[in-house]
Amino acid sequence: MKKIAYLGTALCALSASPVMAKAIPVGDGLTLQPTIDARLRYETVDQDNALKNADALTMRIRPGITLATSTGLSILVEGEGTLALSEKYNSTTNGKTLYSAVPDPENIELNRAQIQYKDRKSTRLNSSHTDISRMPS
């Protein structure tokens, strides 16, 4: 019964694509644009072994913000956090070794940092790095 409830929750919940708010002017040709991306994930593992069956329900949220200038230069910073809504699984970091493994551990990290320049024509220069740091919670 609990599996059906978790599955129903996962299927009915909002799983958002990146949502971008309208850019907010902050003066002198600068704007701030917040973004957010959310994912609800459910996975079950039913193995024929000595381990308990696993039910993992996790929520990942990626908030970000872009600072842009009127000259075409912009800087983006995006974080990421994963929260376990159900801990009846072995995430490989939570110590629940009696359960089958679902490698989706809780974490908080700086997910992406990006610097970009776009001119008025079609030139675009972009430099970014993803998965900068991992801090298990």
Side-chain angles (χ1 to χ4, degrees):
M1 184 66 176
K2 287 184 180 181
K3 287 184 184 182
I4 294 171
Y6 285 139
L7 183 58
T9 302
L11 293 174
C12 293
L14 174 64
S15 181
S17 297
V19 175
M20 296 172 57
K22 185 176 179 181
I24 303 162
V26 291
D28 292 331
L30 296 175
T31 58
L32 287 175
Q33 184 167 20
T35 59
I36 191 159
D37 175 55
R39 177 212 66 191
L40 183 67
R41 178 175 180 261
Y42 172 78
E43 183 174 340
T44 185
V45 178
D46 185 359
Q47 294 179 319
D48 189 18
N49 61 18
L51 297 174
K52 294 181 180 181
N53 295 339
D55 289 301
L57 182 62
T58 59
M59 172 65 79
R60 182 197 68 205
I61 300 174
R62 286 184 179 159
I65 192 150
T66 301
L67 173 67
T69 68
S70 57
T71 61
L73 182 66
S74 65
I75 299 170
L76 164 75
V77 178
E78 178 181 74
E80 178 178 299
T82 302
L83 175 66
L85 302 176
S86 165
E87 292 200 19
K88 294 182 178 180
Y89 71 101
N90 177 4
S91 71
T92 70
T93 63
N94 65 358
K96 301 208 175 198
T97 57
L98 296 178
Y99 287 95
S100 296
V102 178
D104 198 4
E106 289 189 314
N107 67 18
I108 298 173
E109 65 187 33
L110 177 59
N111 186 59
R112 182 168 53 143
Q114 172 180 303
I115 299 173
Q116 178 175 277
Y117 175 75
K118 284 191 298 188
D119 67 8
R120 296 183 199 278
K121 299 173 186 169
S122 61
T123 305
R124 176 182 284 181
L125 302 172
N126 189 24
S127 177
S128 67
H129 195 321
T130 59
D131 289 331
I132 294 171
S133 63
R134 294 204 177 266
M135 299 172 280
S137 53

